[in-house]
Amino acid sequence: MVGSDRAYRDPLGEWASVRGIEDDGCLLVRPDGHIAWRARSGPAPDALLDAVARTLQIPAPQDGRAAGKTFATATH
């Protein structure tokens, strides 16, 4: 996480100027550096799980569950 009160600091504001999301937004970045999904602000946990499933090319979880496993979801 990048921000003034996060693990990585951005003292010059460079990340903030190019990220294209609000402070409560979310980016899903593939290992090759491409952005797979973006929520400009306050993503719904189900939307993020859906994006991860599409990126991994697996069935989307239903109600936070996939293959018998419960996925943790963020609370706002």
Side-chain angles (χ1 to χ4, degrees):
M1 296 179 69
V2 179
S4 60
D5 61 344
R6 309 293 185 193
Y8 297 96
R9 305 262 185 246
D10 182 23
L12 300 178
E14 293 169 339
W15 168 245
S17 71
V18 299
R19 69 184 178 198
I21 60 172
E22 302 294 325
D23 285 341
D24 65 342
C26 181
L27 291 175
L28 176 62
V29 182
R30 300 183 332 201
D32 62 4
H34 289 268
I35 295 173
W37 180 78
R38 174 191 324 249
R40 295 205 182 276
S41 67
D46 290 341
L48 177 56
L49 288 174
D50 209 36
V52 169
R54 278 194 319 272
T55 301
L56 297 175
Q57 299 178 350
I58 61 173
Q62 300 298 316
D63 298 324
R65 299 181 71 73
K69 301 198 184 226
T70 301
F71 287 83
T73 56
T75 57
H76 295 285

